[in-house]
Amino acid sequence: MIQEAEQPAIRPAFSTTTAPTLDAEATPRRAVGIGMLGMGVVGAGLARVLRDRAADLAITVGTPLSIEAIVVQDSDKRRDDDLPLHLVTADADADAVLDNPDVDIVVEVIGGVEQALDYVLRAIRSGKHVVTANKDLMARHGPEILDLAHEAGVSVLFEASVGAGTPIVAPLTRSLVANRIAALRGILNGTTNYILTKMEFEGASLEQALVDAQRLGYAEADPTSDVAGSDAARKLAILSSLAWGTRVRDTDVYCEGITRLETRDFECAAQLGYTIKLLAIASEDRGAIRLRVHPALVRKGTAMASVDGVLNALEIDGDLTGPVLLRGAGAGPASTASALIADIVEVSRGIVVGLGRINPVNLDREVTIQSMVGLKTRHLLRLSVSGGDRIQSDVVQVLRGEGVIADHATLDVAKNELVILTGSVEETVFQRAILGLRLLDGVREVCSAIRVED
Ligand code: HSE
């Protein structure tokens, strides 16, 4: 059992001129100390907003927020002069933050998993509250971190880990807490949504668009996790854990990325009245949750279809509220700083009024994870074919033999391309039909098979 953290001693605020007066009798006012782990793009964005909005935030919290120490891995890295460089130390043990009695809240913005986990667990054991933007960490180790925080009587908040500054974690853990959630459905990766938008409207290649997304600070250090869908899968695991009060891991999520998509897929989808999005979907049915991330055709004109660029969106289907749609920037340093500060402010308000842990999350519900078997969807099929007009009827016949109806088929003999929109079909039946098509003379390649989410 971890001992209840001792409340740090009262100390004067760093700036008495900005300290608000909540209670004229109560002096001296105590600043809330922040220790930062990391000062990359996100950390620098946070430090700047804390500085620029110090006076307003002090009023909001009831006392100033004071950065006490910043630990970085590489002290030689060039950093802008306007950052609080005098607070920066390169210290692999992070003692300047984790052993610092003036630090009440540790803000983890180093990213990665192993070292971040070590730091966060140490911070909790030292009785410090933690605010993190690290979805990799929370998707893989969230339950054990929250368990330890519960024992230690400290808060661990992670709004910035999903949807950057767009509030998603708070609605699920607070505003909608009375609801039974039937489904979550959304766009949870800004980089891929930016790339897909560029492919659709500018005919850009995936590679070109990814370079832009990296330049704008949207992509992960290793953008493979963006384009492979694993970043969205991690976020869906975090949100599903909160929505159903259980322990979902990213490995529970079926995951397909966007790397096989081509600009031609958008043209084919558009002819049928659809656009293509990388959707993250979780749904619950009698204690079983199915979780999936994959590209999907989304009907043009719907709210989800118009979520473009770096925007994220999440539709939460609550039984009391009906569908609730949250939408906003899903990546970028300014938006991420907004979420980090929201959590810092919440923890700080608790400190000011003498509360210990806030926002307890219970993840003890038992659920079953359902595979893709049994899921029924329609599909857009794009085939490279040869053999003239006959190939269409041959393909339709193979599909029908496997129990797949072709609702719509367009053969372009000049382009050697056959595009088919299937009826609703169960996953394993569809996969069998694809195998059948690959063996058919005249089918050179199954270029795309994209699920439709009407
Ligand atoms: N790479 C992530 C994204 C950053 O593009 O959504 C925010 O989590």
Side-chain angles (χ1 to χ4, degrees):
M1 206 51 179
I2 307 265
Q3 295 297 312
E4 275 284 317
E6 270 180 35
Q7 288 300 316
I10 301 267
R11 63 177 188 283
F14 71 91
S15 162
T16 48
T17 52
T18 54
T21 309
L22 280 190
D23 172 359
E25 304 295 313
T27 56
R29 183 94 39 217
R30 176 187 178 285
V32 172
I34 294 167
M36 288 176 56
L37 300 173
M39 191 145 81
V41 178
V42 170
L46 171 65
R48 287 194 176 99
V49 182
L50 283 173
R51 178 200 60 207
D52 295 345
R53 311 233 162 137
D56 290 343
L57 289 170
I59 291 166
T60 303
V61 170
T63 197
L65 303 175
S66 161
I67 300 179
E68 299 290 337
I70 302 171
V71 167
V72 298
Q73 278 162 329
D74 176 6
S75 59
D76 294 335
K77 191 170 151 188
R78 243 190 73 79
R79 294 186 169 84
D80 295 341
D81 292 342
D82 69 323
L83 293 168
L85 299 179
H86 62 289
L87 297 172
V88 172
T89 52
D91 166 11
D93 293 330
D95 294 342
V97 163
L98 299 178
D99 289 347
N100 187 332
D102 292 338
V103 169
D104 303 299
I105 304 174
V106 173
V107 180
E108 186 277 304
V109 283
I110 51 171
V113 175
E114 295 315 322
Q115 187 155 54
L117 177 66
D118 177 48
Y119 288 163
V120 163
L121 295 180
R122 270 182 63 203
I124 295 169
R125 289 193 187 103
S126 315
K128 299 190 187 302
H129 304 283
V130 173
V131 169
T132 177
N134 192 330
K135 66 239 152 180
D136 301 3
L137 178 70
M138 293 310 291
R140 221 155 289 165
H141 298 285
E144 70 189 84
I145 290 171
L146 295 173
D147 283 350
L148 188 69
H150 187 84
E151 283 184 34
V154 298
S155 304
V156 174
L157 298 190
F158 45 94
E159 180 66 69
S161 66
V162 183
T166 304
I168 294 180
V169 172
L172 273 176
T173 52
R174 274 164 260 169
S175 327
L176 299 174
V177 80
N179 286 261
R180 298 224 163 87
I181 307 293
L184 305 175
R185 182 171 178 271
I187 294 169
L188 297 180
N189 182 271
T191 300
T192 45
N193 205 47
Y194 177 86
I195 292 171
L196 297 182
T197 305
K198 284 237 164 198
M199 288 172 78
E200 178 173 17
F201 295 110
E202 297 172 26
S205 71
L206 191 149
E207 293 75 18
Q208 273 168 4
L210 176 58
V211 169
D212 281 354
Q214 287 176 298
R215 185 176 43 78
L216 291 164
Y218 301 156
E220 296 303 294
D222 174 3
T224 316
S225 60
D226 292 301
V227 295
S230 34
D231 178 83
R234 286 169 199 153
K235 292 167 179 166
L236 187 65
I238 294 171
L239 298 182
S240 301
S241 296
L242 301 176
W244 289 291
T246 190
R247 292 163 191 250
V248 177
R249 302 209 179 246
D250 52 348
T251 46
D252 294 327
V253 182
Y254 170 84
C255 183
E256 259 177 53
I258 63 164
T259 49
R260 283 181 56 88
L261 290 177
E262 296 171 25
T263 46
R264 178 75 190 133
D265 293 314
F266 289 92
E267 292 162 8
C268 297
Q271 279 160 12
L272 295 161
Y274 291 94
T275 183
I276 303 173
K277 296 291 181 191
L278 182 69
L279 288 190
I281 302 171
S283 51
E284 200 244 351
D285 184 18
R286 285 162 292 171
I289 303 176
R290 178 180 283 130
L291 305 113
R292 52 196 170 108
V293 169
H294 54 74
L297 265 67
V298 176
R299 173 85 49 200
K300 278 185 187 264
T302 60
M304 207 53 82
S306 64
V307 176
D308 286 331
V310 73
L311 292 183
N312 278 195
L314 183 72
E315 188 177 272
I316 304 171
D317 195 357
D319 64 338
L320 303 176
T321 55
V324 172
L325 182 68
L326 307 163
R327 168 190 153 119
S335 180
T336 307
S338 168
L340 288 167
I341 292 175
D343 282 349
I344 292 169
V345 165
E346 180 158 4
V347 176
S348 301
R349 282 173 168 160
I351 292 172
V352 167
V353 298
L355 281 179
R357 171 172 54 92
I358 50 163
N359 193 27
V361 185
N362 190 329
L363 303 179
D364 288 340
R365 191 172 157 222
E366 291 289 330
V367 298
T368 314
I369 302 296
Q370 218 172 22
S371 74
M372 293 290 273
V373 175
L375 177 70
K376 283 187 170 175
T377 53
R378 306 172 80 196
H379 287 78
L380 176 77
L381 265 175
R382 186 165 65 82
L383 310 177
S384 168
V385 293
S386 58
D389 290 343
R390 251 200 73 167
I391 188 65
Q392 179 168 330
S393 55
D394 289 352
V395 165
V396 168
Q397 204 175 337
V398 167
L399 289 175
R400 194 177 303 133
E402 296 292 351
V404 180
I405 303 299
D407 277 348
H408 183 101
T410 313
L411 177 65
D412 186 329
V413 179
K415 285 195 178 126
N416 289 322
E417 183 185 75
L418 176 59
V419 176
I420 290 179
L421 186 63
T422 74
S424 182
V425 55
E426 194 273 333
E427 280 284 317
T428 49
V429 171
F430 182 73
Q431 296 307 334
R432 237 183 1 251
I434 294 284
L435 286 181
L437 290 182
R438 290 205 167 106
L439 297 175
L440 182 66
D441 271 351
V443 173
R444 296 199 293 212
E445 192 190 347
V446 178
C447 305
S448 311
I450 308 170
R451 296 177 187 83
V452 181
E453 288 294 326
D454 276 315

